[in-house]
Amino acid sequence: RKEVEQDPGPFNVPEGATVAFNCTYSNSASQSFFWYRQDCRKEPKLLMSVYSSGNEDGRFTAQLNRASQYISLLIRDSKLSDSATYLCVVNTSPTGNQFYFGTGTSLTVIP
Amino acid sequence: NAGVTQTPKFRILKIGQSMTLQCTQDMNHNYMYWYRQDPGMGLKLIYYSVGAGITDKGEVPNGYNVSRSTTEDFPLRLELAAPSQTSVYFCASSRTDYTEAFFGQGTRLTVV
C-alpha cells in the first residue's frame, strides 16, 4: 500500500469555481502534513502546512482528519494562476525521517 | 537569500559514465534530502542526512552515493550511469525533521 494516495485528476474547472482535492495516508504515526504546489518542470513549493484544527490562507483551506487518515485542500474562486499539480506530503518522523509524497493532482483552470 | 541551489540544471550522460550533482543550502538546515521524480510518479527519496557527517539510505539508494562533510553541502554521486537513472533530481533541506522542506530547482538528467 502506498504511503500517500491522491486522485491524479486531471481536474479541469472554470475560473471562479471551487475545487477540492483529497489525500489519504497509511501511517497513523505521521507527524506533519503539507500541501505543495508544483508547476510544470519546476521544483515543488510549499503551499501550506496542514494543522489538526484546519487552517486557511486566503482562498485556500486545508483540513486534517487523523482518525480517517485523510487530508484535504479546498480552493475557492479559482484563478488561472492556480493551474498546477498539487502534492500531498506527509512526514512520518520520528519513525521515518522523511517526507512521503503523493503522485499529485493536476488542476487546470479554464478561462 | 539563495535557499537551496543545485547544479547542473541539465546533463546528458553516456551509459557507464559518472557524475556528481551538487547541492548547497544557505539556511543552516540540518536536514537535507535527495529525491528523484519520474514522469507521473511521486518523489522518491534516494538519500538523506540529519547533519554533517551523517547520511542514510532512503527508498531508492541503489546506484547512488552521498556525503555530507559540511552543513551546507550534500552532493549526490552517480558512479556508473544507467538508463534507469534518467530522471529529474531534486535536493531539499528542512530545519527539523517535521518542518517543511525547501527544494532546489532540480537537475534534469538523461542517460543514453
Side-chain angles (χ1 to χ4, degrees):
Chain A
R1 183 182 173 189
K2 289 184 181 178
E3 293 282 345
V4 178
E5 298 210 51
Q6 289 182 253
D7 180 349
F11 285 69
N12 299 313
V13 303
E15 269 187 294
T18 296
V19 61
F21 304 140
N22 302 316
C23 168
T24 58
Y25 61 95
S26 61
N27 190 335
S28 59
S30 297
Q31 297 290 313
S32 48
F33 310 88
F34 310 92
W35 283 101
Y36 277 72
R37 170 192 170 128
Q38 187 173 27
D39 293 289
C40 188
R41 303 175 77 83
K42 301 276 191 172
E43 75 274 23
K45 292 186 177 178
L46 180 69
L47 179 66
M48 57 196 303
S49 301
V50 185
Y51 304 119
S52 296
S53 55
N55 48 300
E56 189 173 305
D57 183 1
R59 298 181 292 108
F60 300 86
T61 301
Q63 297 278 353
L64 168 64
N65 184 322
R66 283 189 183 270
S68 301
Q69 295 180 204
Y70 171 95
I71 305 161
S72 65
L73 176 68
L74 183 76
I75 305 176
R76 291 181 299 278
D77 188 23
S78 298
K79 312 290 185 192
L80 295 177
S81 57
D82 293 334
S83 298
T85 296
Y86 291 82
L87 305 175
C88 174
V89 184
V90 173
N91 191 315
T92 60
S93 179
T95 59
N97 264 335
Q98 67 168 289
F99 298 87
Y100 288 97
F101 288 78
T103 52
T105 300
S106 173
L107 172 67
T108 300
V109 181
I110 304 163
Chain B
N1 193 347
V4 180
T5 302
Q6 286 182 239
T7 56
K9 288 189 170 53
F10 303 92
R11 183 73 185 266
I12 298 175
L13 276 183
K14 292 185 179 178
I15 294 171
Q17 286 185 319
S18 61
M19 75 166 294
T20 299
L21 281 66
Q22 301 291 346
C23 176
T24 188
Q25 52 94 6
D26 63 0
M27 297 175 282
N28 202 33
H29 285 171
N30 283 325
Y31 292 79
M32 295 189 75
Y33 315 85
W34 274 105
Y35 291 91
R36 61 177 286 172
Q37 186 177 34
D38 300 315
M41 306 291 287
L43 278 76
K44 301 290 186 187
L45 182 66
I46 305 171
Y47 272 95
Y48 67 95
S49 169
V50 302
I54 306 168
T55 62
D56 210 344
K57 295 178 180 179
E59 190 178 354
V60 289
N62 291 343
Y64 308 95
N65 275 300
V66 294
S67 60
R68 184 96 182 270
S69 57
T70 66
T71 299
E72 294 78 20
D73 300 307
F74 190 41
L76 177 72
R77 178 86 179 158
L78 283 71
E79 289 294 350
L80 289 169
S84 60
Q85 293 178 304
T86 294
S87 189
V88 180
Y89 291 84
F90 290 105
C91 178
S93 73
S94 62
R95 183 173 57 83
T96 71
D97 55 356
Y98 56 86
T99 49
E100 67 269 25
F102 296 86
F103 285 81
Q105 291 182 308
T107 296
R108 295 189 175 278
L109 175 67
T110 302
V111 181
V112 295

